[in-house]
């Protein structure tokens, strides 16, 4: 994670996963879910910054 957006995305993913819990989940599944959240978060931030959102 190099950029501030990537660090924010990683933190957001960790918060979401900790909120809903992951006891007993396969590590590969947790990692895949975490990466999907991170990608979505970074893309959403870019859209907001680029003005690609509707009110």
């Amino acid at each position: 994670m190099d950029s501030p957006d990537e660090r924010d995305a990683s933190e957001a993913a960790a918060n979401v996963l900790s909120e809903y819990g992951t006891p007993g989940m396969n590590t590969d599944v947790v990692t895949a879910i975490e990466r999907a959240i991170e990608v979505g978060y970074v893309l959403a931030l870019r859209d907001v910054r680029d003005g690609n959102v509707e009110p």
Side-chain angles (χ1 to χ4, degrees):
M1 299 277 155
D2 293 333
S3 76
D5 286 352
E6 290 171 332
R7 286 189 293 276
D8 289 345
S10 180
E11 184 177 331
N15 288 338
V16 168
L17 288 173
S18 70
E19 179 71 24
Y20 294 100
T22 55
M25 285 184 74
N26 179 293
T27 307
D28 292 335
V29 172
V30 172
T31 300
I33 292 169
E34 185 175 29
R35 296 296 171 250
I37 294 168
E38 289 173 353
V39 169
Y41 191 91
V42 168
L43 292 175
L45 284 173
R46 284 185 194 161
D47 282 346
V48 169
R49 286 198 184 107
D50 294 343
N52 296 329
V53 293
E54 294 183 25

Short mmCIF file of all heavy atoms in Angstrom, two decimals:
data_model
loop_
_atom_site.label_atom_id
_atom_site.label_comp_id
_atom_site.label_asym_id
_atom_site.label_seq_id
_atom_site.Cartn_x
_atom_site.Cartn_y
_atom_site.Cartn_z
N MET A 1 0.84 -1.18 0.00
CA MET A 1 0.00 0.00 0.00
C MET A 1 0.89 1.24 0.00
O MET A 1 1.63 1.47 0.94
CB MET A 1 -0.90 0.03 1.23
CG MET A 1 -1.85 -1.11 1.39
SD MET A 1 -3.30 -0.81 0.42
CE MET A 1 -3.85 -2.45 0.17
N ASP A 2 0.80 2.00 -1.06
CA ASP A 2 1.66 3.16 -1.17
C ASP A 2 0.92 4.48 -1.01
O ASP A 2 1.36 5.36 -0.32
CB ASP A 2 2.39 3.16 -2.52
CG ASP A 2 3.38 2.02 -2.61
OD1 ASP A 2 3.88 1.58 -1.57
OD2 ASP A 2 3.65 1.58 -3.73
N SER A 3 -0.21 4.59 -1.67
CA SER A 3 -0.90 5.88 -1.67
C SER A 3 -1.80 6.01 -0.45
O SER A 3 -2.19 5.02 0.16
CB SER A 3 -1.74 6.02 -2.94
OG SER A 3 -2.91 5.25 -2.85
N PRO A 4 -2.13 7.25 -0.10
CA PRO A 4 -3.07 7.46 1.01
C PRO A 4 -4.41 6.78 0.75
O PRO A 4 -5.02 6.24 1.68
CB PRO A 4 -3.22 8.98 1.08
CG PRO A 4 -1.96 9.52 0.48
CD PRO A 4 -1.58 8.52 -0.59
N ASP A 5 -4.87 6.78 -0.51
CA ASP A 5 -6.14 6.11 -0.82
C ASP A 5 -6.05 4.61 -0.53
O ASP A 5 -7.00 4.03 0.00
CB ASP A 5 -6.52 6.31 -2.29
CG ASP A 5 -7.02 7.71 -2.58
OD1 ASP A 5 -7.22 8.50 -1.63
OD2 ASP A 5 -7.23 8.02 -3.77
N GLU A 6 -4.94 4.01 -0.88
CA GLU A 6 -4.78 2.58 -0.63
C GLU A 6 -4.74 2.27 0.86
O GLU A 6 -5.30 1.29 1.31
CB GLU A 6 -3.54 2.05 -1.33
CG GLU A 6 -3.68 2.03 -2.85
CD GLU A 6 -2.38 1.70 -3.55
OE1 GLU A 6 -1.30 2.00 -3.00
OE2 GLU A 6 -2.46 1.15 -4.66
N ARG A 7 -4.07 3.14 1.61
CA ARG A 7 -4.04 2.94 3.07
C ARG A 7 -5.44 3.12 3.66
O ARG A 7 -5.85 2.33 4.52
CB ARG A 7 -3.04 3.90 3.71
CG ARG A 7 -1.60 3.49 3.47
CD ARG A 7 -0.63 4.33 4.29
NE ARG A 7 -0.59 5.73 3.87
CZ ARG A 7 0.14 6.19 2.87
NH1 ARG A 7 0.90 5.39 2.18
NH2 ARG A 7 0.13 7.47 2.57
N ASP A 8 -6.17 4.13 3.20
CA ASP A 8 -7.55 4.34 3.67
C ASP A 8 -8.42 3.15 3.30
O ASP A 8 -9.26 2.72 4.09
CB ASP A 8 -8.14 5.61 3.07
CG ASP A 8 -7.54 6.88 3.64
OD1 ASP A 8 -6.86 6.81 4.69
OD2 ASP A 8 -7.75 7.95 3.03
N ALA A 9 -8.23 2.62 2.10
CA ALA A 9 -9.01 1.46 1.65
C ALA A 9 -8.73 0.24 2.51
O ALA A 9 -9.64 -0.49 2.88
CB ALA A 9 -8.72 1.16 0.18
N SER A 10 -7.48 0.04 2.83
CA SER A 10 -7.11 -1.10 3.68
C SER A 10 -7.74 -0.96 5.06
O SER A 10 -8.27 -1.93 5.62
CB SER A 10 -5.59 -1.18 3.80
OG SER A 10 -5.22 -2.26 4.60
N GLU A 11 -7.70 0.24 5.61
CA GLU A 11 -8.30 0.48 6.92
C GLU A 11 -9.82 0.29 6.87
O GLU A 11 -10.41 -0.31 7.77
CB GLU A 11 -7.97 1.89 7.40
CG GLU A 11 -8.48 2.19 8.79
CD GLU A 11 -8.08 3.56 9.29
OE1 GLU A 11 -7.03 4.07 8.87
OE2 GLU A 11 -8.84 4.12 10.10
N ALA A 12 -10.45 0.78 5.81
CA ALA A 12 -11.90 0.63 5.67
C ALA A 12 -12.28 -0.84 5.57
O ALA A 12 -13.25 -1.29 6.20
CB ALA A 12 -12.39 1.38 4.43
N ALA A 13 -11.51 -1.61 4.81
CA ALA A 13 -11.79 -3.04 4.67
C ALA A 13 -11.65 -3.74 6.01
O ALA A 13 -12.49 -4.57 6.38
CB ALA A 13 -10.85 -3.65 3.63
N ALA A 14 -10.61 -3.41 6.74
CA ALA A 14 -10.41 -4.01 8.07
C ALA A 14 -11.57 -3.67 8.99
O ALA A 14 -12.05 -4.52 9.75
CB ALA A 14 -9.09 -3.55 8.66
N ASN A 15 -12.05 -2.43 8.93
CA ASN A 15 -13.19 -2.02 9.77
C ASN A 15 -14.46 -2.79 9.40
O ASN A 15 -15.19 -3.23 10.29
CB ASN A 15 -13.44 -0.52 9.64
CG ASN A 15 -12.38 0.30 10.32
OD1 ASN A 15 -11.67 -0.17 11.20
ND2 ASN A 15 -12.23 1.54 9.90
N VAL A 16 -14.71 -2.94 8.12
CA VAL A 16 -15.91 -3.67 7.69
C VAL A 16 -15.83 -5.12 8.14
O VAL A 16 -16.78 -5.66 8.69
CB VAL A 16 -16.08 -3.60 6.15
CG1 VAL A 16 -17.13 -4.58 5.67
CG2 VAL A 16 -16.43 -2.18 5.73
N LEU A 17 -14.68 -5.74 7.92
CA LEU A 17 -14.53 -7.14 8.31
C LEU A 17 -14.62 -7.32 9.82
O LEU A 17 -15.21 -8.29 10.29
CB LEU A 17 -13.22 -7.70 7.79
CG LEU A 17 -13.17 -7.92 6.28
CD1 LEU A 17 -11.78 -8.33 5.85
CD2 LEU A 17 -14.18 -8.98 5.86
N SER A 18 -14.06 -6.40 10.59
CA SER A 18 -14.12 -6.55 12.04
C SER A 18 -15.54 -6.32 12.56
O SER A 18 -15.94 -6.91 13.56
CB SER A 18 -13.14 -5.59 12.72
OG SER A 18 -13.58 -4.25 12.60
N GLU A 19 -16.30 -5.48 11.87
CA GLU A 19 -17.68 -5.20 12.28
C GLU A 19 -18.56 -6.45 12.14
O GLU A 19 -19.40 -6.73 12.98
CB GLU A 19 -18.25 -4.07 11.43
CG GLU A 19 -19.69 -3.71 11.74
CD GLU A 19 -19.86 -3.00 13.07
OE1 GLU A 19 -18.89 -2.38 13.56
OE2 GLU A 19 -20.97 -3.06 13.63
N TYR A 20 -18.36 -7.17 11.08
CA TYR A 20 -19.20 -8.34 10.82
C TYR A 20 -18.57 -9.64 11.28
O TYR A 20 -19.21 -10.67 11.27
CB TYR A 20 -19.56 -8.41 9.32
CG TYR A 20 -20.43 -7.25 8.93
CD1 TYR A 20 -19.90 -6.14 8.30
CD2 TYR A 20 -21.77 -7.25 9.26
CE1 TYR A 20 -20.69 -5.05 7.97
CE2 TYR A 20 -22.57 -6.16 8.95
CZ TYR A 20 -22.02 -5.07 8.30
OH TYR A 20 -22.81 -4.00 7.99
N GLY A 21 -17.33 -9.59 11.65
CA GLY A 21 -16.65 -10.76 12.16
C GLY A 21 -16.32 -11.77 11.09
O GLY A 21 -17.00 -11.85 10.07
N THR A 22 -15.27 -12.51 11.33
CA THR A 22 -14.87 -13.53 10.38
C THR A 22 -14.40 -14.81 11.08
O THR A 22 -13.57 -15.53 10.55
CB THR A 22 -13.72 -13.00 9.48
OG1 THR A 22 -12.67 -12.54 10.32
CG2 THR A 22 -14.19 -11.89 8.57
N PRO A 23 -14.92 -15.10 12.26
CA PRO A 23 -14.43 -16.30 12.94
C PRO A 23 -14.71 -17.55 12.10
O PRO A 23 -15.79 -17.73 11.56
CB PRO A 23 -15.21 -16.35 14.24
CG PRO A 23 -16.01 -15.12 14.32
CD PRO A 23 -15.95 -14.43 12.99
N GLY A 24 -13.69 -18.37 11.99
CA GLY A 24 -13.86 -19.63 11.30
C GLY A 24 -13.84 -19.55 9.78
O GLY A 24 -13.90 -20.57 9.11
N MET A 25 -13.77 -18.34 9.23
CA MET A 25 -13.74 -18.23 7.78
C MET A 25 -12.36 -18.59 7.26
O MET A 25 -11.35 -18.30 7.88
CB MET A 25 -14.09 -16.81 7.32
CG MET A 25 -15.55 -16.48 7.42
SD MET A 25 -15.93 -14.83 6.76
CE MET A 25 -15.79 -15.15 5.01
N ASN A 26 -12.34 -19.20 6.10
CA ASN A 26 -11.10 -19.56 5.43
C ASN A 26 -10.30 -18.29 5.16
O ASN A 26 -10.85 -17.28 4.71
CB ASN A 26 -11.46 -20.27 4.12
CG ASN A 26 -10.25 -20.66 3.32
OD1 ASN A 26 -9.54 -19.80 2.82
ND2 ASN A 26 -10.05 -21.95 3.19
N THR A 27 -9.01 -18.34 5.41
CA THR A 27 -8.14 -17.17 5.25
C THR A 27 -8.16 -16.65 3.81
O THR A 27 -8.15 -15.44 3.59
CB THR A 27 -6.70 -17.52 5.66
OG1 THR A 27 -6.71 -18.08 6.96
CG2 THR A 27 -5.82 -16.29 5.67
N ASP A 28 -8.18 -17.55 2.85
CA ASP A 28 -8.22 -17.12 1.45
C ASP A 28 -9.51 -16.37 1.13
O ASP A 28 -9.49 -15.40 0.38
CB ASP A 28 -8.08 -18.32 0.51
CG ASP A 28 -6.69 -18.95 0.57
OD1 ASP A 28 -5.73 -18.24 0.92
OD2 ASP A 28 -6.59 -20.15 0.27
N VAL A 29 -10.60 -16.80 1.72
CA VAL A 29 -11.88 -16.12 1.50
C VAL A 29 -11.85 -14.73 2.12
O VAL A 29 -12.27 -13.75 1.50
CB VAL A 29 -13.05 -16.95 2.06
CG1 VAL A 29 -14.36 -16.18 2.01
CG2 VAL A 29 -13.18 -18.27 1.32
N VAL A 30 -11.34 -14.65 3.33
CA VAL A 30 -11.24 -13.35 4.01
C VAL A 30 -10.36 -12.40 3.20
O VAL A 30 -10.71 -11.23 3.01
CB VAL A 30 -10.70 -13.51 5.44
CG1 VAL A 30 -10.41 -12.15 6.07
CG2 VAL A 30 -11.67 -14.31 6.30
N THR A 31 -9.25 -12.90 2.70
CA THR A 31 -8.35 -12.07 1.90
C THR A 31 -9.03 -11.58 0.62
O THR A 31 -8.91 -10.41 0.25
CB THR A 31 -7.06 -12.85 1.55
OG1 THR A 31 -6.42 -13.21 2.77
CG2 THR A 31 -6.11 -12.02 0.70
N ALA A 32 -9.77 -12.47 -0.04
CA ALA A 32 -10.48 -12.09 -1.27
C ALA A 32 -11.54 -11.01 -0.97
O ALA A 32 -11.67 -10.04 -1.73
CB ALA A 32 -11.13 -13.31 -1.91
N ILE A 33 -12.27 -11.18 0.12
CA ILE A 33 -13.28 -10.19 0.50
C ILE A 33 -12.62 -8.86 0.82
O ILE A 33 -13.08 -7.80 0.39
CB ILE A 33 -14.12 -10.69 1.69
CG1 ILE A 33 -14.98 -11.89 1.27
CG2 ILE A 33 -14.99 -9.57 2.26
CD1 ILE A 33 -15.64 -12.62 2.42
N GLU A 34 -11.53 -8.92 1.56
CA GLU A 34 -10.81 -7.69 1.92
C GLU A 34 -10.33 -6.96 0.68
O GLU A 34 -10.48 -5.74 0.56
CB GLU A 34 -9.63 -8.03 2.82
CG GLU A 34 -8.90 -6.82 3.33
CD GLU A 34 -7.79 -7.19 4.32
OE1 GLU A 34 -7.23 -8.29 4.21
OE2 GLU A 34 -7.50 -6.35 5.18
N ARG A 35 -9.76 -7.67 -0.28
CA ARG A 35 -9.27 -7.04 -1.52
C ARG A 35 -10.43 -6.44 -2.32
O ARG A 35 -10.29 -5.35 -2.89
CB ARG A 35 -8.51 -8.04 -2.38
CG ARG A 35 -7.26 -8.57 -1.76
CD ARG A 35 -6.22 -7.47 -1.53
NE ARG A 35 -5.12 -7.99 -0.74
CZ ARG A 35 -4.86 -7.65 0.52
NH1 ARG A 35 -5.60 -6.76 1.13
NH2 ARG A 35 -3.85 -8.17 1.17
N ALA A 36 -11.55 -7.13 -2.36
CA ALA A 36 -12.71 -6.61 -3.10
C ALA A 36 -13.20 -5.30 -2.47
O ALA A 36 -13.53 -4.35 -3.18
CB ALA A 36 -13.83 -7.64 -3.12
N ILE A 37 -13.23 -5.24 -1.15
CA ILE A 37 -13.64 -4.02 -0.46
C ILE A 37 -12.65 -2.90 -0.76
O ILE A 37 -13.05 -1.76 -1.05
CB ILE A 37 -13.75 -4.25 1.07
CG1 ILE A 37 -14.89 -5.22 1.37
CG2 ILE A 37 -13.94 -2.92 1.81
CD1 ILE A 37 -14.89 -5.74 2.80
N GLU A 38 -11.36 -3.21 -0.72
CA GLU A 38 -10.33 -2.20 -0.98
C GLU A 38 -10.45 -1.63 -2.40
O GLU A 38 -10.39 -0.42 -2.59
CB GLU A 38 -8.94 -2.80 -0.80
CG GLU A 38 -8.60 -3.08 0.65
CD GLU A 38 -7.30 -3.83 0.81
OE1 GLU A 38 -6.69 -4.26 -0.19
OE2 GLU A 38 -6.88 -4.02 1.97
N VAL A 39 -10.63 -2.51 -3.38
CA VAL A 39 -10.76 -2.05 -4.76
C VAL A 39 -11.99 -1.16 -4.92
O VAL A 39 -11.92 -0.09 -5.53
CB VAL A 39 -10.82 -3.25 -5.73
CG1 VAL A 39 -11.23 -2.81 -7.12
CG2 VAL A 39 -9.48 -3.97 -5.77
N GLY A 40 -13.11 -1.59 -4.38
CA GLY A 40 -14.33 -0.79 -4.46
C GLY A 40 -14.17 0.57 -3.80
O GLY A 40 -14.63 1.59 -4.32
N TYR A 41 -13.49 0.60 -2.66
CA TYR A 41 -13.28 1.85 -1.94
C TYR A 41 -12.42 2.81 -2.74
O TYR A 41 -12.75 3.99 -2.89
CB TYR A 41 -12.62 1.53 -0.59
CG TYR A 41 -12.57 2.68 0.38
CD1 TYR A 41 -13.59 2.89 1.29
CD2 TYR A 41 -11.48 3.56 0.40
CE1 TYR A 41 -13.54 3.94 2.19
CE2 TYR A 41 -11.42 4.61 1.29
CZ TYR A 41 -12.45 4.80 2.19
OH TYR A 41 -12.40 5.84 3.07
N VAL A 42 -11.31 2.31 -3.29
CA VAL A 42 -10.42 3.16 -4.08
C VAL A 42 -11.14 3.69 -5.32
O VAL A 42 -11.04 4.88 -5.66
CB VAL A 42 -9.13 2.41 -4.47
CG1 VAL A 42 -8.34 3.17 -5.52
CG2 VAL A 42 -8.26 2.19 -3.24
N LEU A 43 -11.90 2.84 -6.01
CA LEU A 43 -12.63 3.28 -7.20
C LEU A 43 -13.69 4.32 -6.85
O LEU A 43 -13.89 5.29 -7.58
CB LEU A 43 -13.25 2.09 -7.92
CG LEU A 43 -12.24 1.13 -8.56
CD1 LEU A 43 -12.96 -0.09 -9.13
CD2 LEU A 43 -11.41 1.82 -9.62
N ALA A 44 -14.35 4.14 -5.72
CA ALA A 44 -15.36 5.11 -5.28
C ALA A 44 -14.71 6.46 -4.97
O ALA A 44 -15.25 7.51 -5.33
CB ALA A 44 -16.11 4.58 -4.07
N LEU A 45 -13.57 6.44 -4.31
CA LEU A 45 -12.85 7.69 -4.03
C LEU A 45 -12.48 8.42 -5.32
O LEU A 45 -12.63 9.64 -5.43
CB LEU A 45 -11.58 7.42 -3.22
CG LEU A 45 -11.76 7.11 -1.75
CD1 LEU A 45 -10.42 6.71 -1.12
CD2 LEU A 45 -12.34 8.30 -1.00
N ARG A 46 -12.01 7.67 -6.30
CA ARG A 46 -11.65 8.29 -7.58
C ARG A 46 -12.87 8.91 -8.24
O ARG A 46 -12.80 10.01 -8.79
CB ARG A 46 -11.05 7.25 -8.52
CG ARG A 46 -9.65 6.89 -8.18
CD ARG A 46 -9.08 5.95 -9.21
NE ARG A 46 -7.85 5.36 -8.72
CZ ARG A 46 -7.31 4.26 -9.18
NH1 ARG A 46 -7.89 3.62 -10.18
NH2 ARG A 46 -6.20 3.80 -8.68
N ASP A 47 -13.99 8.19 -8.22
CA ASP A 47 -15.21 8.73 -8.82
C ASP A 47 -15.63 10.03 -8.15
O ASP A 47 -16.01 10.99 -8.82
CB ASP A 47 -16.35 7.71 -8.74
CG ASP A 47 -16.24 6.62 -9.79
OD1 ASP A 47 -15.46 6.79 -10.75
OD2 ASP A 47 -16.95 5.61 -9.65
N VAL A 48 -15.56 10.07 -6.84
CA VAL A 48 -15.94 11.28 -6.10
C VAL A 48 -15.00 12.42 -6.47
O VAL A 48 -15.44 13.53 -6.77
CB VAL A 48 -15.95 11.02 -4.59
CG1 VAL A 48 -16.06 12.32 -3.80
CG2 VAL A 48 -17.08 10.07 -4.21
N ARG A 49 -13.72 12.16 -6.47
CA ARG A 49 -12.75 13.21 -6.81
C ARG A 49 -12.90 13.70 -8.23
O ARG A 49 -12.68 14.87 -8.52
CB ARG A 49 -11.34 12.69 -6.58
CG ARG A 49 -10.99 12.61 -5.15
CD ARG A 49 -9.49 12.51 -4.94
NE ARG A 49 -9.25 12.33 -3.53
CZ ARG A 49 -8.86 11.20 -2.97
NH1 ARG A 49 -8.62 10.14 -3.71
NH2 ARG A 49 -8.68 11.12 -1.68
N ASP A 50 -13.26 12.79 -9.14
CA ASP A 50 -13.41 13.16 -10.56
C ASP A 50 -14.78 13.74 -10.87
O ASP A 50 -15.05 14.11 -12.01
CB ASP A 50 -13.16 11.94 -11.45
CG ASP A 50 -11.72 11.45 -11.40
OD1 ASP A 50 -10.85 12.22 -10.94
OD2 ASP A 50 -11.48 10.31 -11.82
N GLY A 51 -15.66 13.78 -9.88
CA GLY A 51 -16.99 14.33 -10.08
C GLY A 51 -17.93 13.38 -10.82
O GLY A 51 -18.93 13.81 -11.40
N ASN A 52 -17.61 12.10 -10.79
CA ASN A 52 -18.43 11.11 -11.49
C ASN A 52 -19.50 10.50 -10.60
O ASN A 52 -19.71 9.30 -10.60
CB ASN A 52 -17.54 9.99 -12.05
CG ASN A 52 -16.58 10.50 -13.09
OD1 ASN A 52 -16.89 11.44 -13.81
ND2 ASN A 52 -15.41 9.88 -13.17
N VAL A 53 -20.14 11.33 -9.81
CA VAL A 53 -21.22 10.87 -8.95
C VAL A 53 -22.43 11.77 -9.15
O VAL A 53 -22.30 12.94 -9.48
CB VAL A 53 -20.81 10.87 -7.47
CG1 VAL A 53 -19.74 9.84 -7.21
CG2 VAL A 53 -20.34 12.23 -7.01
N GLU A 54 -23.59 11.21 -8.99
CA GLU A 54 -24.81 12.00 -9.11
C GLU A 54 -25.31 12.32 -7.71
O GLU A 54 -25.25 11.48 -6.81
CB GLU A 54 -25.86 11.20 -9.87
CG GLU A 54 -25.48 10.96 -11.31
CD GLU A 54 -26.56 10.22 -12.08
OE1 GLU A 54 -27.73 10.30 -11.68
OE2 GLU A 54 -26.21 9.55 -13.05
N PRO A 55 -25.84 13.53 -7.54
CA PRO A 55 -26.33 13.91 -6.20
C PRO A 55 -27.54 13.10 -5.78
O PRO A 55 -28.23 12.50 -6.49
CB PRO A 55 -26.70 15.37 -6.36
CG PRO A 55 -26.48 15.75 -7.77
CD PRO A 55 -25.92 14.57 -8.49
#
